[in-house]
Amino acid sequence: MSKVQVIYILLAICLFGSLLRCGRLFQEQYLKRDEIHYIEMANLWADDGVKTAYSFSAGIPPVMPFVMMVGVRLLGVDALLAGRVFVFTLGFFFPLSLYFITFQILKDQKLALLAALLAALQPVYARLGCLVLRDTPYICFFMFAVASAVWSIYSKRISGWFFFAIFSALGALTRKEGIELIMIMFLWMGGDIYLKQSDRMARTFKLAGIALVVLFIYSLITIPVFLYLKSNGSTWCPFPLISLYKLLLCLLT
Amino acid sequence: MNFLITCFKGIYLYFGMIAKVLFVVLGVMLGFAWFNRRRIKMHSGVYFICVAIGFILISRIPILLSSRYFALLPALLIPFAVLGFPFATDFFYERLQTKFKGVKKKHIATVLLFLIIGGSVGKIYSPPKRKDYLFRISSVIRKANEKQPGFNPLIIDYSEDIVRIGYYSGISAKKIRHMKYNEFWDKLYSLFRYHEVIYISAADQTTGIFKKNQTTGFVDPLDLVVSKEIVPGKIYRFSIRRPKEFLKKHERTEYIINEFFTKKYEQKINKSPILCFLKEQKAEYLIGKHYIKLPIGWGLHCEAYKKSRRKVTNCRIESCKGLPGVDIVTDISAGQPHLGVFSKEFSVTDGSYFIDLCLEGDDDSVGLLSIILYGNNHLFLKTIPVGRFRIDDSKETWYRIPVSNDIFNYKGAKSFRLLIKGQRGKITCKQLKMYK
């Protein structure tokens, strides 16, 4: 199968998934509670600023309301429409992440395409995929982070970890659980060092270096957002499980 | 469109379950394949996915146990399901080859794929049967009451889905299951504080909450009230507006109805700013808008509401004073728990206003003061947060929050209320003053 053919098939699969979600949208009669929440926040953000938006709901991670606010303020569209465009766009690309993961593991184009098809068809994801909720963006960022890590591990290129850090940070900006990607990375690193007997010391240094780089990029993206939002009343934190930031702030001040 | 949905539902009915089973089969096949190391080469990349799945699975156990859906896990399992696909094809091929000699592997793969696609598409387009039914109920109730502002019905049902239906549709909904006779009425009694009408979905006699046989300790309350008319699956309406319909038979029923359905109780509601507030806020669903604008109005079932309710019980307002310069009558009574200093019609003059709060509470407690604007007929317009306060000193301390005049000039605003919500810790508002 040529590369062009694969690209066409992948596009067709992505389009098919999007059409399924569009169809599902007709069955959704009411807005969900969280959708209402984000719409309200985005409108408040657009009208009265970030402080007012976060006084409405202090713990919401910024991606959804921010993207919707940008739609309202800059493009002049309805917050709901802006949110739907965002969610559908990410949902469109979601099957690609499964394609990359499966291709890395099996090195088989057909099975990788089958994985992409299953991702487009995955019922729960398709049903959530038409709603302006954080699930779709988070799952998409999560899967792309996993795909980046898997690609990096198989190809032995460190650049994949940069993407992993970026997608992890985006995941954390979407949901509080985003930190779990960093924890998964640490768990895998610990297991990998433990399981592989040869060159353990060199491997430990290499993985520790990767972990530091990932943490650095992750923090570089999330900390400025966190500090900005914190000064505006948000309680969202990119490290919700451990109060590293509190420790860091104590040390800095 | 309806035809298409019906077709999809048909597909789901036939193939939905098969698809689920197939996913499980694929997973089992993968297990065997992995065990035999036939195709998957153990690699750090595979370990990474295993760690991801294991971590997600363990961290989501509470969610999985609470029977909530969880999308991330199936998404992660897809590559593994795919890995199992060739093994499933091999498995069926080996077994079918002996019976049907013309069968080829690609035929089996196509059938498997077709079943997965059909099942998945069917699943995407088909809500569960009970959920569908409950959706219809909520839309009927919504339509029936949309021209009655200030009217807040509740649906009670035995199924798990009812909470989610309420969550989706904006109608207050509550799940009651296996509740004893007295408990049920106590529950109903408490619910009538907040709902003028309670719709009870009469349960199926075999699967429902309310079993007919009273000797078991579970009873059908509808059976007690309207025994001969009860038809399983239909909706019955408990109302405080038409009490006579239900004034039959049982003493306790009569007691409750008399207690709640009299004018005495209505006066109680009107006297209680909390109940008035809830009643009006939650009625926002029914006044022709697509969604309510205030989080507190989502209903008793709603987590946001529960949270805010839990928080505000930590916030007591003990006294407040009239607000010179603005024609406001406050009706908060001393010792009143909950939120709010309520106002009536106002005429705003130029300039800014100040709200002084005398607060006491635990250190580091946080509260939020908002102004809720209403239009004609007490139509809710907007909630505007005006200031957050933090208790720095556990002793009584005055906090001043300035309020811009622009807030009161909001288009169509006729009246407003002040809303104090405790967001963290415990706060007591000893006094509240608003002045120009």
Side-chain angles (χ1 to χ4, degrees), chain A residues 51 226-234:
Chain A
K51 207 164 197 167
F226 163 64
L227 292 175
Y228 172 70
L229 292 179
K230 193 169 186 281
S231 65
N232 285 291
S234 167

Side-chain angles (χ1 to χ4, degrees), chain A:
Chain A
M1 207 179 288
S2 71
K3 275 190 178 177
V4 178
Q5 276 178 319
V6 172
I7 290 169
Y8 278 133
I9 294 170
L10 270 175
L11 277 175
I13 288 169
C14 293
L15 203 64
F16 178 55
S18 295
L19 286 174
L20 281 178
R21 283 192 292 279
C22 282
R24 175 71 195 178
L25 197 59
F26 288 105
Q27 283 190 292
E28 296 293 339
Q29 294 178 28
Y30 306 108
L31 288 174
K32 307 287 177 283
R33 184 194 66 172
D34 288 4
E35 288 180 291
I36 296 164
H37 216 94
Y38 305 143
I39 291 166
E40 279 295 292
M41 273 192 83
N43 286 333
L44 282 172
W45 199 335
D47 293 343
D48 304 327
V50 61
K51 207 164 197 167
T52 315
Y54 272 92
S55 66
F56 179 76
S57 185
I60 299 287
V63 161
M64 280 308 291
F66 175 77
V67 170
M68 291 161 80
M69 179 278 289
V70 167
V72 174
R73 194 186 273 178
L74 299 184
L75 306 174
V77 296
D78 185 48
L80 182 64
L81 179 65
R84 278 195 178 142
V85 169
F86 176 61
V87 165
F88 269 88
T89 309
L90 288 179
F92 179 84
F93 292 111
F94 170 68
L96 298 182
S97 62
L98 270 301
Y99 169 81
F100 289 133
I101 292 171
T102 315
F103 185 70
Q104 288 302 322
I105 296 172
L106 289 179
K107 309 289 182 201
D108 186 326
Q109 289 283 17
K110 280 184 184 171
L111 287 177
L113 288 172
L114 179 68
L117 180 65
L118 286 188
L121 284 170
Q122 210 262 317
V124 179
Y125 190 78
R127 290 166 80 146
L128 288 173
C130 65
L131 307 172
V132 184
L133 300 175
R134 286 176 293 168
D135 299 63
T136 306
Y138 180 65
I139 295 172
C140 193
F141 293 140
F142 187 100
M143 295 310 290
F144 271 105
V146 171
S148 307
V150 171
W151 176 75
S152 188
I153 293 164
Y154 273 95
S155 64
K156 294 181 180 169
R157 287 182 195 171
I158 293 177
S159 53
W161 291 107
F162 286 94
F163 292 108
F164 175 82
I166 291 168
F167 284 120
S168 302
L170 287 172
L173 290 168
T174 312
R175 284 189 86 104
K176 281 178 183 173
E177 297 93 317
I179 187 69
E180 66 197 2
L181 280 157
I182 301 293
M183 295 176 76
I184 287 166
M185 179 192 74
F186 277 119
L187 280 173
W188 169 77
M189 284 178 172
D192 201 56
I193 291 165
Y194 177 75
L195 288 171
K196 289 191 176 168
Q197 305 290 332
S198 60
D199 292 336
R200 185 173 277 180
M201 191 57 80
R203 189 156 183 80
T204 307
F205 276 112
K206 189 186 170 191
L207 290 181
I210 289 171
L212 278 176
V213 170
V214 167
L215 271 180
F216 176 73
I217 297 170
Y218 179 87
S219 304
L220 199 68
I221 296 169
T222 54
I223 285 183
V225 180
F226 163 64
L227 292 175
Y228 172 70
L229 292 179
K230 193 169 186 281
S231 65
N232 285 291
S234 167
T235 57
W236 167 77
C237 174
F239 287 106
L241 301 177
I242 40 173
S243 304
L244 276 181
Y245 280 114
K246 280 187 182 173
L247 190 71
L248 200 67
L249 286 174
C250 280
L251 289 172
L252 288 173
T253 51

Side-chain angles (χ1 to χ4, degrees), chain B residues 49-304:
Chain B
I49 296 190
C50 292
V51 172
I53 291 179
F55 187 88
I56 297 297
L57 193 61
I58 292 165
S59 63
R60 261 53 165 207
I61 279 173
I63 299 174
L64 293 171
L65 289 178
S66 67
S67 76
R68 283 186 60 189
Y69 61 81
F70 174 58
L72 190 51
L73 193 65
L76 265 173
L77 287 172
I78 286 171
F80 283 90
V82 171
L83 294 175
F85 194 83
F87 304 109
T89 315
D90 287 349
F91 177 83
F92 288 115
Y93 177 69
E94 282 164 16
R95 267 139 198 84
L96 289 174
Q97 200 186 22
T98 51
K99 290 183 182 174
F100 310 99
K101 290 195 174 172
V103 170
K104 290 180 181 173
K105 270 191 186 178
K106 64 179 179 183
H107 295 152
I108 294 168
T110 311
V111 170
L112 279 176
L113 202 58
F114 173 75
L115 289 175
I116 289 175
I117 293 172
S120 300
V121 172
K123 178 74 180 165
I124 290 166
Y125 287 101
S126 172
K129 197 180 165 191
R130 183 79 190 168
K131 210 182 221 177
D132 197 25
Y133 165 69
L134 291 168
F135 259 127
R136 276 191 282 122
I137 294 171
S138 58
S139 63
V140 168
I141 292 172
R142 180 190 282 268
K143 264 190 185 173
N145 299 308
E146 66 188 353
K147 287 179 182 171
Q148 298 186 54
F151 191 70
N152 178 39
L154 169 78
I155 313 172
I156 291 178
D157 190 68
Y158 69 89
S159 78
E160 292 285 343
D161 284 331
I162 190 66
V163 180
R164 194 153 286 276
I165 295 303
Y167 183 91
Y168 286 167
S169 67
I171 302 267
S172 298
K174 197 159 188 67
K175 184 194 82 176
I176 290 185
R177 176 169 243 165
H178 296 308
M179 193 167 271
K180 285 181 182 172
Y181 172 72
N182 285 345
E183 283 174 6
F184 175 78
W185 284 115
D186 286 344
K187 182 55 101 181
L188 208 60
Y189 183 92
S190 67
L191 290 172
F192 268 124
R193 284 176 174 178
Y194 307 108
H195 304 275
E196 295 90 340
V197 169
I198 296 182
Y199 292 88
I200 298 180
S201 166
D204 185 299
Q205 283 170 27
T206 51
T207 57
I209 10 165
F210 309 118
K211 294 186 178 176
K212 276 229 164 188
N213 186 358
Q214 291 184 30
T215 56
T216 59
F218 299 103
V219 296
D220 188 340
L222 300 174
D223 186 43
L224 291 171
V225 181
V226 279
S227 61
K228 286 178 186 172
E229 296 161 29
I230 183 167
V231 179
K234 280 203 170 184
I235 303 299
Y236 293 88
R237 187 176 189 268
F238 281 70
S239 168
I240 64 169
R241 298 196 175 176
R242 295 175 198 166
K244 285 177 187 173
E245 285 176 35
F246 304 103
L247 280 176
K248 290 177 186 176
K249 290 190 178 180
H250 204 274
E251 285 179 14
R252 188 168 172 81
T253 315
E254 287 184 2
Y255 167 76
I256 289 168
I257 289 169
N258 286 334
E259 180 68 18
F260 277 96
F261 296 178
T262 53
K263 283 184 179 174
K264 188 182 165 190
Y265 177 64
E266 287 194 355
Q267 282 172 356
K268 254 188 199 174
I269 292 182
N270 292 333
K271 272 184 182 175
S272 161
I274 305 161
L275 294 180
C276 278
F277 179 82
L278 289 172
K279 195 172 141 184
E280 285 166 22
Q281 293 308 316
K282 290 200 288 182
E284 286 291 317
Y285 301 120
L286 310 169
I287 54 176
K289 293 188 178 183
H290 289 301
Y291 56 87
I292 186 164
K293 290 203 165 186
L294 203 67
I296 202 164
W298 283 322
L300 289 168
H301 60 283
C302 167
E303 199 52 38

